[in-house]
mmCIF file of all heavy atoms in Angstrom:
data_model
loop_
_atom_site.group_PDB
_atom_site.id
_atom_site.type_symbol
_atom_site.label_atom_id
_atom_site.label_comp_id
_atom_site.label_asym_id
_atom_site.label_seq_id
_atom_site.Cartn_x
_atom_site.Cartn_y
_atom_site.Cartn_z
ATOM 1 N N VAL Q 1 -16.996 0.554 -7.213
ATOM 2 C CA VAL Q 1 -17.228 -0.325 -6.009
ATOM 3 C C VAL Q 1 -18.636 -0.944 -5.970
ATOM 4 O O VAL Q 1 -18.754 -2.168 -5.786
ATOM 5 C CB VAL Q 1 -17.031 0.533 -4.690
ATOM 6 C CG1 VAL Q 1 -17.265 -0.249 -3.484
ATOM 7 C CG2 VAL Q 1 -15.653 1.129 -4.636
ATOM 8 N N ALA Q 2 -19.674 -0.186 -6.309
ATOM 9 C CA ALA Q 2 -21.006 -0.588 -6.284
ATOM 10 C C ALA Q 2 -21.864 0.276 -7.034
ATOM 11 O O ALA Q 2 -21.569 1.507 -7.094
ATOM 12 C CB ALA Q 2 -21.555 -0.774 -4.821
ATOM 13 N N ARG Q 3 -23.013 -0.171 -7.552
ATOM 14 C CA ARG Q 3 -23.880 0.593 -8.342
ATOM 15 C C ARG Q 3 -25.307 0.223 -8.037
ATOM 16 O O ARG Q 3 -25.571 -1.037 -7.846
ATOM 17 C CB ARG Q 3 -23.593 0.604 -9.837
ATOM 18 C CG ARG Q 3 -24.335 1.376 -10.785
ATOM 19 C CD ARG Q 3 -23.803 1.341 -12.183
ATOM 20 N NE ARG Q 3 -24.017 -0.047 -12.758
ATOM 21 C CZ ARG Q 3 -23.085 -0.603 -13.489
ATOM 22 N NH1 ARG Q 3 -21.945 -0.082 -13.733
ATOM 23 N NH2 ARG Q 3 -23.383 -1.773 -14.003
ATOM 24 N N ILE Q 4 -26.252 1.114 -8.023
ATOM 25 C CA ILE Q 4 -27.663 0.721 -7.937
ATOM 26 C C ILE Q 4 -28.489 1.581 -8.861
ATOM 27 O O ILE Q 4 -28.272 2.757 -9.026
ATOM 28 C CB ILE Q 4 -28.157 0.916 -6.368
ATOM 29 C CG1 ILE Q 4 -29.587 0.546 -6.262
ATOM 30 C CG2 ILE Q 4 -27.958 2.517 -6.022
ATOM 31 C CD1 ILE Q 4 -30.057 0.457 -4.817
ATOM 32 N N ASP Q 5 -29.349 0.898 -9.628
ATOM 33 C CA ASP Q 5 -30.175 1.673 -10.594
ATOM 34 C C ASP Q 5 -31.546 2.081 -10.073
ATOM 35 O O ASP Q 5 -31.753 1.833 -8.886
ATOM 36 C CB ASP Q 5 -30.357 0.837 -11.888
ATOM 37 C CG ASP Q 5 -31.220 -0.521 -11.700
ATOM 38 O OD1 ASP Q 5 -31.918 -0.609 -10.804
ATOM 39 O OD2 ASP Q 5 -31.133 -1.211 -12.649
ATOM 40 N N SER Q 6 -32.407 2.552 -10.912
ATOM 41 C CA SER Q 6 -33.679 3.182 -10.540
ATOM 42 C C SER Q 6 -34.617 2.168 -9.905
ATOM 43 O O SER Q 6 -35.557 2.443 -9.258
ATOM 44 C CB SER Q 6 -34.302 3.924 -11.619
ATOM 45 O OG SER Q 6 -34.465 3.138 -12.773
ATOM 46 N N ALA Q 7 -34.409 0.830 -10.378
ATOM 47 C CA ALA Q 7 -35.213 -0.241 -9.904
ATOM 48 C C ALA Q 7 -34.766 -0.877 -8.740
ATOM 49 O O ALA Q 7 -35.351 -1.830 -8.192
ATOM 50 C CB ALA Q 7 -35.448 -1.281 -11.072
ATOM 51 N N GLY Q 8 -33.583 -0.470 -8.213
ATOM 52 C CA GLY Q 8 -32.920 -1.096 -7.038
ATOM 53 C C GLY Q 8 -31.997 -2.220 -7.354
ATOM 54 O O GLY Q 8 -31.531 -2.846 -6.406
ATOM 55 N N THR Q 9 -31.749 -2.585 -8.591
ATOM 56 C CA THR Q 9 -30.840 -3.528 -9.023
ATOM 57 C C THR Q 9 -29.405 -3.138 -8.680
ATOM 58 O O THR Q 9 -29.050 -1.917 -9.013
ATOM 59 C CB THR Q 9 -30.987 -3.839 -10.473
ATOM 60 O OG1 THR Q 9 -32.332 -4.272 -10.721
ATOM 61 C CG2 THR Q 9 -29.999 -4.996 -10.855
ATOM 62 N N THR Q 10 -28.588 -3.976 -8.084
ATOM 63 C CA THR Q 10 -27.328 -3.608 -7.739
ATOM 64 C C THR Q 10 -26.186 -4.390 -8.369
ATOM 65 O O THR Q 10 -26.481 -5.483 -8.829
ATOM 66 C CB THR Q 10 -27.123 -3.887 -6.083
ATOM 67 O OG1 THR Q 10 -27.413 -5.199 -5.808
ATOM 68 C CG2 THR Q 10 -28.021 -2.908 -5.355
ATOM 69 N N VAL Q 11 -24.997 -3.749 -8.473
ATOM 70 C CA VAL Q 11 -23.832 -4.378 -9.003
ATOM 71 C C VAL Q 11 -22.706 -4.041 -8.112
ATOM 72 O O VAL Q 11 -22.543 -2.962 -7.626
ATOM 73 C CB VAL Q 11 -23.544 -3.904 -10.397
ATOM 74 C CG1 VAL Q 11 -22.212 -4.391 -10.939
ATOM 75 C CG2 VAL Q 11 -24.636 -4.266 -11.450
ATOM 76 N N TYR Q 12 -21.836 -5.103 -7.777
ATOM 77 C CA TYR Q 12 -20.697 -4.889 -6.912
ATOM 78 C C TYR Q 12 -19.472 -5.355 -7.577
ATOM 79 O O TYR Q 12 -19.458 -6.370 -8.323
ATOM 80 C CB TYR Q 12 -20.960 -5.683 -5.680
ATOM 81 C CG TYR Q 12 -22.056 -5.214 -4.771
ATOM 82 C CD1 TYR Q 12 -23.342 -5.876 -4.892
ATOM 83 C CD2 TYR Q 12 -21.905 -4.174 -3.891
ATOM 84 C CE1 TYR Q 12 -24.303 -5.459 -4.210
ATOM 85 C CE2 TYR Q 12 -22.991 -3.785 -3.102
ATOM 86 C CZ TYR Q 12 -24.192 -4.350 -3.170
ATOM 87 O OH TYR Q 12 -25.260 -3.959 -2.355
ATOM 88 N N ALA Q 13 -18.334 -4.657 -7.257
ATOM 89 C CA ALA Q 13 -17.014 -5.182 -7.653
ATOM 90 C C ALA Q 13 -16.812 -6.510 -6.864
ATOM 91 O O ALA Q 13 -17.283 -6.742 -5.692
ATOM 92 C CB ALA Q 13 -15.935 -4.285 -7.307
ATOM 93 N N ASP Q 14 -16.072 -7.430 -7.584
ATOM 94 C CA ASP Q 14 -15.834 -8.811 -7.048
ATOM 95 C C ASP Q 14 -15.185 -8.634 -5.607
ATOM 96 O O ASP Q 14 -15.493 -9.421 -4.716
ATOM 97 C CB ASP Q 14 -15.006 -9.562 -7.975
ATOM 98 C CG ASP Q 14 -15.794 -10.080 -9.054
ATOM 99 O OD1 ASP Q 14 -17.074 -10.061 -9.144
ATOM 100 O OD2 ASP Q 14 -15.191 -10.452 -10.193
ATOM 101 N N SER Q 15 -14.333 -7.625 -5.466
ATOM 102 C CA SER Q 15 -13.593 -7.516 -4.282
ATOM 103 C C SER Q 15 -14.350 -7.091 -3.003
ATOM 104 O O SER Q 15 -13.926 -7.391 -1.947
ATOM 105 C CB SER Q 15 -12.501 -6.499 -4.442
ATOM 106 O OG SER Q 15 -12.992 -5.213 -4.833
ATOM 107 N N VAL Q 16 -15.561 -6.624 -3.284
ATOM 108 C CA VAL Q 16 -16.387 -6.309 -2.123
ATOM 109 C C VAL Q 16 -17.724 -6.975 -1.958
ATOM 110 O O VAL Q 16 -18.489 -6.793 -0.948
ATOM 111 C CB VAL Q 16 -16.812 -4.673 -2.157
ATOM 112 C CG1 VAL Q 16 -15.490 -3.829 -2.413
ATOM 113 C CG2 VAL Q 16 -17.808 -4.442 -3.349
ATOM 114 N N LYS Q 17 -17.971 -7.934 -2.797
ATOM 115 C CA LYS Q 17 -19.188 -8.732 -2.704
ATOM 116 C C LYS Q 17 -19.289 -9.453 -1.397
ATOM 117 O O LYS Q 17 -18.313 -10.137 -0.932
ATOM 118 C CB LYS Q 17 -19.220 -9.720 -3.863
ATOM 119 C CG LYS Q 17 -19.590 -9.096 -5.206
ATOM 120 C CD LYS Q 17 -19.652 -10.239 -6.263
ATOM 121 C CE LYS Q 17 -19.990 -9.587 -7.706
ATOM 122 N NZ LYS Q 17 -20.040 -10.687 -8.724
ATOM 123 N N GLY Q 18 -20.495 -9.400 -0.683
ATOM 124 C CA GLY Q 18 -20.647 -10.038 0.542
ATOM 125 C C GLY Q 18 -20.247 -9.212 1.726
ATOM 126 O O GLY Q 18 -20.602 -9.559 2.773
ATOM 127 N N ARG Q 19 -19.488 -8.070 1.427
ATOM 128 C CA ARG Q 19 -19.145 -7.170 2.544
ATOM 129 C C ARG Q 19 -19.719 -5.825 2.372
ATOM 130 O O ARG Q 19 -19.973 -5.217 3.528
ATOM 131 C CB ARG Q 19 -17.609 -7.074 2.462
ATOM 132 C CG ARG Q 19 -16.800 -8.384 2.742
ATOM 133 C CD ARG Q 19 -15.261 -8.252 2.830
ATOM 134 N NE ARG Q 19 -14.695 -7.654 1.672
ATOM 135 C CZ ARG Q 19 -14.202 -6.430 1.653
ATOM 136 N NH1 ARG Q 19 -14.112 -5.687 2.650
ATOM 137 N NH2 ARG Q 19 -13.665 -5.983 0.480
ATOM 138 N N PHE Q 20 -19.968 -5.268 1.270
ATOM 139 C CA PHE Q 20 -20.483 -3.983 1.116
ATOM 140 C C PHE Q 20 -21.985 -4.129 0.648
ATOM 141 O O PHE Q 20 -22.307 -5.054 -0.118
ATOM 142 C CB PHE Q 20 -19.689 -3.218 0.070
ATOM 143 C CG PHE Q 20 -18.320 -2.769 0.487
ATOM 144 C CD1 PHE Q 20 -17.731 -3.358 1.604
ATOM 145 C CD2 PHE Q 20 -17.588 -1.803 -0.271
ATOM 146 C CE1 PHE Q 20 -16.443 -2.928 2.061
ATOM 147 C CE2 PHE Q 20 -16.353 -1.398 0.099
ATOM 148 C CZ PHE Q 20 -15.787 -1.965 1.292
ATOM 149 N N THR Q 21 -22.758 -3.105 0.931
ATOM 150 C CA THR Q 21 -24.121 -3.004 0.528
ATOM 151 C C THR Q 21 -24.413 -1.541 0.077
ATOM 152 O O THR Q 21 -24.276 -0.612 0.857
ATOM 153 C CB THR Q 21 -25.094 -3.401 1.566
ATOM 154 O OG1 THR Q 21 -24.797 -4.754 2.045
ATOM 155 C CG2 THR Q 21 -26.547 -3.387 1.054
ATOM 156 N N ILE Q 22 -24.922 -1.476 -1.121
ATOM 157 C CA ILE Q 22 -25.372 -0.090 -1.598
ATOM 158 C C ILE Q 22 -26.882 -0.035 -1.477
ATOM 159 O O ILE Q 22 -27.554 -1.053 -1.785
ATOM 160 C CB ILE Q 22 -24.882 0.132 -3.080
ATOM 161 C CG1 ILE Q 22 -25.263 1.597 -3.437
ATOM 162 C CG2 ILE Q 22 -25.470 -0.809 -4.027
ATOM 163 C CD1 ILE Q 22 -24.638 2.082 -4.731
ATOM 164 N N SER Q 23 -27.433 1.120 -1.108
ATOM 165 C CA SER Q 23 -28.772 1.264 -1.021
ATOM 166 C C SER Q 23 -29.200 2.673 -1.257
ATOM 167 O O SER Q 23 -28.331 3.523 -1.276
ATOM 168 C CB SER Q 23 -29.382 0.891 0.358
ATOM 169 O OG SER Q 23 -28.775 1.626 1.470
ATOM 170 N N ARG Q 24 -30.489 2.980 -1.505
ATOM 171 C CA ARG Q 24 -30.906 4.314 -1.758
ATOM 172 C C ARG Q 24 -32.198 4.567 -1.104
ATOM 173 O O ARG Q 24 -32.956 3.777 -0.814
ATOM 174 C CB ARG Q 24 -30.974 4.568 -3.202
ATOM 175 C CG ARG Q 24 -32.082 3.812 -3.931
ATOM 176 C CD ARG Q 24 -31.984 3.927 -5.475
ATOM 177 N NE ARG Q 24 -31.954 5.159 -5.981
ATOM 178 C CZ ARG Q 24 -31.552 5.597 -7.219
ATOM 179 N NH1 ARG Q 24 -30.978 4.683 -8.038
ATOM 180 N NH2 ARG Q 24 -31.655 6.809 -7.517
ATOM 181 N N ASP Q 25 -32.383 5.929 -0.684
ATOM 182 C CA ASP Q 25 -33.635 6.325 -0.132
ATOM 183 C C ASP Q 25 -34.070 7.515 -0.905
ATOM 184 O O ASP Q 25 -33.528 8.684 -0.853
ATOM 185 C CB ASP Q 25 -33.426 6.797 1.378
ATOM 186 C CG ASP Q 25 -34.733 7.182 2.007
ATOM 187 O OD1 ASP Q 25 -35.649 7.488 1.341
ATOM 188 O OD2 ASP Q 25 -34.671 7.108 3.296
ATOM 189 N N ASN Q 26 -34.935 7.301 -1.845
ATOM 190 C CA ASN Q 26 -35.306 8.301 -2.801
ATOM 191 C C ASN Q 26 -36.121 9.508 -2.177
ATOM 192 O O ASN Q 26 -35.962 10.586 -2.667
ATOM 193 C CB ASN Q 26 -36.202 7.662 -3.994
ATOM 194 C CG ASN Q 26 -35.549 6.743 -4.839
ATOM 195 O OD1 ASN Q 26 -34.222 6.807 -4.997
ATOM 196 N ND2 ASN Q 26 -36.225 5.853 -5.512
ATOM 197 N N ALA Q 27 -36.760 9.253 -1.042
ATOM 198 C CA ALA Q 27 -37.514 10.242 -0.428
ATOM 199 C C ALA Q 27 -36.491 11.290 0.171
ATOM 200 O O ALA Q 27 -36.753 12.497 0.404
ATOM 201 C CB ALA Q 27 -38.303 9.742 0.738
ATOM 202 N N LYS Q 28 -35.271 10.829 0.553
ATOM 203 C CA LYS Q 28 -34.149 11.662 1.052
ATOM 204 C C LYS Q 28 -33.111 12.074 0.050
ATOM 205 O O LYS Q 28 -32.144 12.746 0.408
ATOM 206 C CB LYS Q 28 -33.516 11.013 2.308
ATOM 207 C CG LYS Q 28 -34.443 10.681 3.444
ATOM 208 C CD LYS Q 28 -33.702 10.042 4.517
ATOM 209 C CE LYS Q 28 -34.642 9.813 5.737
ATOM 210 N NZ LYS Q 28 -33.910 9.120 6.932
ATOM 211 N N ASN Q 29 -33.323 11.714 -1.207
ATOM 212 C CA ASN Q 29 -32.311 11.948 -2.252
ATOM 213 C C ASN Q 29 -30.935 11.489 -1.755
ATOM 214 O O ASN Q 29 -29.924 12.267 -1.970
ATOM 215 C CB ASN Q 29 -32.376 13.394 -2.550
ATOM 216 C CG ASN Q 29 -33.451 13.795 -3.666
ATOM 217 O OD1 ASN Q 29 -34.447 13.050 -3.762
ATOM 218 N ND2 ASN Q 29 -33.268 14.884 -4.188
ATOM 219 N N THR Q 30 -30.813 10.311 -1.226
ATOM 220 C CA THR Q 30 -29.591 9.883 -0.635
ATOM 221 C C THR Q 30 -29.300 8.487 -0.995
ATOM 222 O O THR Q 30 -30.100 7.578 -1.015
ATOM 223 C CB THR Q 30 -29.568 9.991 0.909
ATOM 224 O OG1 THR Q 30 -29.849 11.365 1.224
ATOM 225 C CG2 THR Q 30 -28.321 9.535 1.546
ATOM 226 N N VAL Q 31 -27.913 8.178 -1.296
ATOM 227 C CA VAL Q 31 -27.537 6.808 -1.542
ATOM 228 C C VAL Q 31 -26.534 6.451 -0.472
ATOM 229 O O VAL Q 31 -25.679 7.375 -0.016
ATOM 230 C CB VAL Q 31 -26.831 6.647 -2.990
ATOM 231 C CG1 VAL Q 31 -25.610 7.584 -3.133
ATOM 232 C CG2 VAL Q 31 -26.661 5.182 -3.195
ATOM 233 N N TYR Q 32 -26.457 5.239 -0.070
ATOM 234 C CA TYR Q 32 -25.564 4.836 1.023
ATOM 235 C C TYR Q 32 -24.651 3.752 0.551
ATOM 236 O O TYR Q 32 -24.986 2.901 -0.304
ATOM 237 C CB TYR Q 32 -26.502 4.345 2.258
ATOM 238 C CG TYR Q 32 -27.396 5.279 2.779
ATOM 239 C CD1 TYR Q 32 -28.691 5.267 2.352
ATOM 240 C CD2 TYR Q 32 -27.086 6.233 3.632
ATOM 241 C CE1 TYR Q 32 -29.701 6.149 2.816
ATOM 242 C CE2 TYR Q 32 -28.007 7.279 4.143
ATOM 243 C CZ TYR Q 32 -29.290 7.094 3.673
ATOM 244 O OH TYR Q 32 -30.168 7.952 4.224
ATOM 245 N N LEU Q 33 -23.597 3.548 1.233
ATOM 246 C CA LEU Q 33 -22.697 2.517 1.080
ATOM 247 C C LEU Q 33 -22.226 1.971 2.502
ATOM 248 O O LEU Q 33 -21.565 2.666 3.083
ATOM 249 C CB LEU Q 33 -21.369 2.771 0.260
ATOM 250 C CG LEU Q 33 -20.505 1.639 -0.015
ATOM 251 C CD1 LEU Q 33 -21.126 0.643 -1.019
ATOM 252 C CD2 LEU Q 33 -19.178 2.120 -0.539
ATOM 253 N N GLN Q 34 -22.855 0.770 2.783
ATOM 254 C CA GLN Q 34 -22.501 0.217 4.051
ATOM 255 C C GLN Q 34 -21.348 -0.731 3.783
ATOM 256 O O GLN Q 34 -21.425 -1.596 3.007
ATOM 257 C CB GLN Q 34 -23.640 -0.653 4.609
ATOM 258 C CG GLN Q 34 -23.330 -1.422 5.941
ATOM 259 C CD GLN Q 34 -23.111 -0.490 7.090
ATOM 260 O OE1 GLN Q 34 -23.955 0.483 7.233
ATOM 261 N NE2 GLN Q 34 -22.129 -0.626 7.760
ATOM 262 N N MET Q 35 -20.251 -0.415 4.541
ATOM 263 C CA MET Q 35 -18.948 -1.185 4.324
ATOM 264 C C MET Q 35 -18.639 -1.910 5.592
ATOM 265 O O MET Q 35 -18.388 -1.344 6.564
ATOM 266 C CB MET Q 35 -17.786 -0.281 3.996
ATOM 267 C CG MET Q 35 -18.141 0.587 2.694
ATOM 268 S SD MET Q 35 -16.709 1.651 2.205
ATOM 269 C CE MET Q 35 -16.582 2.705 3.603
ATOM 270 N N ASN Q 36 -18.715 -3.261 5.502
ATOM 271 C CA ASN Q 36 -18.392 -4.084 6.537
ATOM 272 C C ASN Q 36 -16.988 -4.883 6.272
ATOM 273 O O ASN Q 36 -16.626 -5.062 5.168
ATOM 274 C CB ASN Q 36 -19.479 -5.159 6.906
ATOM 275 C CG ASN Q 36 -20.788 -4.467 7.212
ATOM 276 O OD1 ASN Q 36 -20.783 -3.333 7.904
ATOM 277 N ND2 ASN Q 36 -21.887 -5.023 6.851
ATOM 278 N N SER Q 37 -16.504 -5.464 7.395
ATOM 279 C CA SER Q 37 -15.266 -6.261 7.295
ATOM 280 C C SER Q 37 -14.175 -5.527 6.288
ATOM 281 O O SER Q 37 -13.526 -6.110 5.424
ATOM 282 C CB SER Q 37 -15.567 -7.600 6.675
ATOM 283 O OG SER Q 37 -16.529 -8.237 7.400
ATOM 284 N N LEU Q 38 -13.973 -4.279 6.706
ATOM 285 C CA LEU Q 38 -13.039 -3.427 5.925
ATOM 286 C C LEU Q 38 -11.605 -3.983 5.935
ATOM 287 O O LEU Q 38 -11.137 -4.474 6.962
ATOM 288 C CB LEU Q 38 -13.031 -2.011 6.374
ATOM 289 C CG LEU Q 38 -14.281 -1.177 5.805
ATOM 290 C CD1 LEU Q 38 -14.484 0.001 6.703
ATOM 291 C CD2 LEU Q 38 -13.981 -0.885 4.336
ATOM 292 N N LYS Q 39 -10.909 -3.888 4.799
ATOM 293 C CA LYS Q 39 -9.574 -4.269 4.607
ATOM 294 C C LYS Q 39 -8.671 -3.067 4.273
ATOM 295 O O LYS Q 39 -9.171 -2.123 3.778
ATOM 296 C CB LYS Q 39 -9.442 -5.322 3.469
ATOM 297 C CG LYS Q 39 -10.306 -6.633 3.668
ATOM 298 C CD LYS Q 39 -10.207 -7.522 2.423
ATOM 299 C CE LYS Q 39 -11.086 -8.785 2.591
ATOM 300 N NZ LYS Q 39 -11.023 -9.641 1.403
ATOM 301 N N PRO Q 40 -7.320 -3.194 4.564
ATOM 302 C CA PRO Q 40 -6.463 -2.066 4.307
ATOM 303 C C PRO Q 40 -6.495 -1.605 2.786
ATOM 304 O O PRO Q 40 -6.401 -0.394 2.490
ATOM 305 C CB PRO Q 40 -5.107 -2.597 4.659
ATOM 306 C CG PRO Q 40 -5.386 -3.587 5.800
ATOM 307 C CD PRO Q 40 -6.658 -4.271 5.332
ATOM 308 N N GLU Q 41 -6.728 -2.592 1.877
ATOM 309 C CA GLU Q 41 -6.835 -2.273 0.487
ATOM 310 C C GLU Q 41 -8.057 -1.523 0.116
ATOM 311 O O GLU Q 41 -8.265 -1.056 -1.047
ATOM 312 C CB GLU Q 41 -6.685 -3.445 -0.391
ATOM 313 C CG GLU Q 41 -7.622 -4.678 0.016
ATOM 314 C CD GLU Q 41 -6.923 -5.678 0.910
ATOM 315 O OE1 GLU Q 41 -6.170 -5.275 1.858
ATOM 316 O OE2 GLU Q 41 -7.075 -6.848 0.667
ATOM 317 N N GLY Q 42 -8.984 -1.364 1.025
ATOM 318 C CA GLY Q 42 -10.264 -0.599 0.857
ATOM 319 C C GLY Q 42 -9.929 1.010 1.092
ATOM 320 O O GLY Q 42 -10.890 1.846 0.951
ATOM 321 N N THR Q 43 -8.678 1.233 1.450
ATOM 322 C CA THR Q 43 -8.376 2.686 1.654
ATOM 323 C C THR Q 43 -8.369 3.400 0.325
ATOM 324 O O THR Q 43 -8.050 2.997 -0.665
ATOM 325 C CB THR Q 43 -6.961 2.739 2.281
ATOM 326 O OG1 THR Q 43 -6.945 2.185 3.645
ATOM 327 C CG2 THR Q 43 -6.470 4.287 2.335
ATOM 328 N N GLY Q 44 -8.848 4.707 0.350
ATOM 329 C CA GLY Q 44 -8.981 5.531 -0.787
ATOM 330 C C GLY Q 44 -9.957 6.615 -0.640
ATOM 331 O O GLY Q 44 -10.722 6.689 0.410
ATOM 332 N N VAL Q 45 -10.123 7.422 -1.626
ATOM 333 C CA VAL Q 45 -11.165 8.417 -1.607
ATOM 334 C C VAL Q 45 -12.365 7.824 -2.319
ATOM 335 O O VAL Q 45 -12.317 7.332 -3.497
ATOM 336 C CB VAL Q 45 -10.701 9.594 -2.343
ATOM 337 C CG1 VAL Q 45 -11.823 10.682 -2.451
ATOM 338 C CG2 VAL Q 45 -9.487 10.277 -1.700
ATOM 339 N N TYR Q 46 -13.515 7.833 -1.702
ATOM 340 C CA TYR Q 46 -14.749 7.341 -2.242
ATOM 341 C C TYR Q 46 -15.615 8.433 -2.856
ATOM 342 O O TYR Q 46 -15.961 9.339 -2.156
ATOM 343 C CB TYR Q 46 -15.519 6.469 -1.177
ATOM 344 C CG TYR Q 46 -14.939 5.226 -0.900
ATOM 345 C CD1 TYR Q 46 -13.722 5.106 -0.146
ATOM 346 C CD2 TYR Q 46 -15.561 4.063 -1.186
ATOM 347 C CE1 TYR Q 46 -13.134 3.895 0.115
ATOM 348 C CE2 TYR Q 46 -14.977 2.751 -0.904
ATOM 349 C CZ TYR Q 46 -13.730 2.762 -0.235
ATOM 350 O OH TYR Q 46 -13.262 1.518 -0.010
ATOM 351 N N PHE Q 47 -15.893 8.257 -4.127
ATOM 352 C CA PHE Q 47 -16.700 9.288 -4.858
ATOM 353 C C PHE Q 47 -18.132 8.795 -5.077
ATOM 354 O O PHE Q 47 -18.259 7.564 -5.532
ATOM 355 C CB PHE Q 47 -15.957 9.542 -6.143
ATOM 356 C CG PHE Q 47 -14.715 10.238 -6.050
ATOM 357 C CD1 PHE Q 47 -13.467 9.579 -5.964
ATOM 358 C CD2 PHE Q 47 -14.635 11.629 -5.991
ATOM 359 C CE1 PHE Q 47 -12.269 10.110 -5.809
ATOM 360 C CE2 PHE Q 47 -13.298 12.323 -5.901
ATOM 361 C CZ PHE Q 47 -12.244 11.518 -5.762
ATOM 362 N N CYS Q 48 -19.078 9.575 -4.999
ATOM 363 C CA CYS Q 48 -20.455 9.336 -5.400
ATOM 364 C C CYS Q 48 -20.588 9.794 -6.773
ATOM 365 O O CYS Q 48 -20.149 10.817 -7.204
ATOM 366 C CB CYS Q 48 -21.280 10.134 -4.464
ATOM 367 S SG CYS Q 48 -23.090 9.828 -4.690
#
């Protein structure tokens, strides 16, 4: 769905470009996926 490297460079699946945003907070050891304008085909199990 989305990927972010150590420099903050991101890659998105074509199907989610413009709607999803991946980000990371290294101080919190946490990565996020903000999902907007969700569609039924977005249903599934999301794995980190």
Side-chain angles (χ1 to χ4, degrees):
V1 175
R3 185 173 66 222
I4 184 168
D5 69 12
S6 59
T9 302
T10 58
V11 175
Y12 296 93
D14 288 342
S15 61
V16 307
K17 286 181 179 177
R19 300 187 296 114
F20 289 13
T21 303
I22 188 171
S23 61
R24 66 194 299 162
D25 186 338
N26 291 336
K28 296 181 178 180
N29 278 19
T30 302
V31 63
Y32 305 95
L33 184 68
Q34 178 67 46
M35 304 185 293
N36 298 325
S37 302
L38 280 161
K39 302 176 181 180
E41 50 263 45
T43 294
V45 178
Y46 285 72
F47 295 90
C48 182

